């Protein structure tokens, strides 16, 4: 079965760029959408964005100006970069794969997320 | 943009039934599937209901989902409550302008 594992620095300084990688094991990254979701301590889930294995992306409008998601099919990995971070970006960051996609009118949307990675806490602090 | 509004918390006794609502602020709740996740402390969310009322394999049939167009809301019902059901629950849906929207989450306490 497919498993996801996040990796990257646990501490990032304010104004710098947060970089995380999600490694996919037990299956190919091809032919699927792949997503990043975060959860500030004690708060709810926030979708960050997703990427199709071919490279097309869709980002949360509230984060769009600072987010870049990329994919490396040769390594079976996809990555997140979030620039100009502040303390408000402190969160547990999850990578996840939609178990299904819903396509209509030329656009596709992720269904329920399964599996998820275990999550990695990133703290923004000097 | 639409929002999904959930009660902040609910509580009920073991063996009882509890229902968690998820109200869509605009657009029809019936137009796009609703998913439900359970999240225990320190763990990633897991799916308990997908596509409004479907249960993944391994999820007990004590968990059920439904849609009510009259109130423009989705509901997650858990019957025969067990202490292990104590967790946070999140609904999720989408539309053409908002590919992924989560509700704010509901903390279920089983006293």
């Amino acid at each position: 079965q497919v498993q996801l594992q996040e990796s990257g620095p646990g501490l990032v300084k304010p104004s710098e760029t947060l970089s995380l990688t999600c490694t996919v094991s037990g299956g190919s990254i091809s032919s699927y959408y792949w997503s990043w979701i975060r959860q500030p301590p004690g708060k709810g889930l926030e979708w960050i964005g997703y990427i199709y294995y071919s490279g097309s992306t869709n980002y949360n409008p509230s984060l769009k100006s600072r987010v870049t998601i990329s994919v490396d099919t040769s390594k079976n990995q996809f990555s997140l970069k979030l620039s100009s971070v502040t303390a408000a970006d402190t969160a547990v960051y999850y990578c996840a794969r939609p178990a299904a996609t819903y396509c209509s009118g030329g656009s596709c949307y992720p269904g329920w997320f399964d599996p998820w990675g275990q999550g990695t806490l990133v703290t923004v602090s000097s | 943009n639409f929002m999904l509004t959930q009660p902040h918390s609910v509580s009920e006794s073991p063996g009882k039934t509890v229902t968690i609502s998820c109200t869509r602020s605009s657009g029809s709740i019936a137009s796009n599937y609703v998913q439900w996740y359970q999240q225990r402390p320190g763990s990633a969310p897991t799916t308990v209901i997908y596509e409004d009322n479907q249960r993944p394999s391994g999820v007990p049939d004590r968990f059920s989902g439904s849609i009510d167009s009259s109130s423009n809301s989705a509901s997650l019902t858990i019957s025969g409550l067990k202490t292990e059901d104590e967790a946070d629950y999140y609904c999720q849906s989408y539309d053409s302008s908002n590919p992924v929207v989560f509700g704010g989450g509901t903390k279920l306490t089983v006293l």
Side-chain angles (χ1 to χ4, degrees):
Chain A
Q1 71 205 35
V2 173
Q3 293 184 312
L4 309 179
Q5 179 67 57
E6 305 90 349
S7 60
L11 181 64
V12 181
K13 290 182 168 54
S15 81
E16 296 189 345
T17 296
L18 177 160
S19 296
L20 295 174
T21 296
C22 182
T23 300
V24 179
S25 60
S28 173
I29 202 167
S30 298
S31 302
Y32 287 102
Y33 286 83
W34 303 90
S35 192
W36 287 97
I37 295 162
R38 70 180 183 179
Q39 184 173 35
K43 296 187 177 181
L45 301 167
E46 180 181 31
W47 170 67
I48 298 171
Y50 62 74
I51 188 167
Y52 193 46
Y53 80 100
S54 62
S56 62
T57 55
N58 199 330
Y59 300 136
N60 185 326
S62 68
L63 298 170
K64 188 174 183 177
S65 63
R66 299 193 292 131
V67 172
T68 302
I69 298 176
S70 58
V71 64
D72 187 337
T73 55
S74 67
K75 295 182 179 179
N76 235 32
Q77 294 176 333
F78 63 106
S79 299
L80 168 69
K81 291 188 186 299
L82 181 65
S83 63
S84 305
V85 297
T86 70
D89 295 310
T90 294
V92 174
Y93 285 76
Y94 295 101
C95 56
R97 188 194 77 180
T101 53
Y102 310 125
C103 296
S104 172
S107 297
C108 293
Y109 314 99
W112 69 104
F113 292 100
D114 183 14
W116 297 62
Q118 65 183 25
T120 186
L121 174 63
V122 179
T123 301
V124 179
S125 175
S126 55
Chain B
N1 291 358
F2 72 94
M3 295 191 303
L4 297 172
T5 301
Q6 300 180 233
H8 181 69
S9 64
V10 296
S11 61
E12 191 49 272
S13 303
K16 300 292 189 179
T17 297
V18 70
T19 297
I20 299 171
S21 62
C22 171
T23 302
R24 181 164 172 153
S25 62
S26 61
S28 171
I29 191 74
S31 295
N32 307 104
Y33 287 128
V34 176
Q35 339 288 358
W36 288 93
Y37 303 94
Q38 176 192 70
Q39 186 180 34
R40 295 192 173 102
S43 296
T46 60
T47 307
V48 291
I49 293 290
Y50 67 95
E51 294 182 350
D52 298 341
N53 54 19
Q54 302 300 302
R55 258 188 333 273
S57 60
V59 174
D61 59 7
R62 301 185 296 105
F63 289 80
S64 63
S66 63
I67 297 293
D68 181 358
S69 295
S70 65
S71 59
N72 213 35
S73 64
S75 293
L76 172 68
T77 299
I78 310 171
S79 60
L81 274 171
K82 300 184 176 184
T83 55
E84 68 204 47
D85 299 329
E86 189 162 290
D88 293 329
Y89 291 86
Y90 294 90
C91 59
Q92 178 225 323
S93 191
Y94 64 98
D95 70 7
S96 58
S97 300
N98 308 276
V100 181
V101 176
F102 288 103
T106 299
K107 181 178 178 59
L108 169 62
T109 301
V110 182
L111 347 112

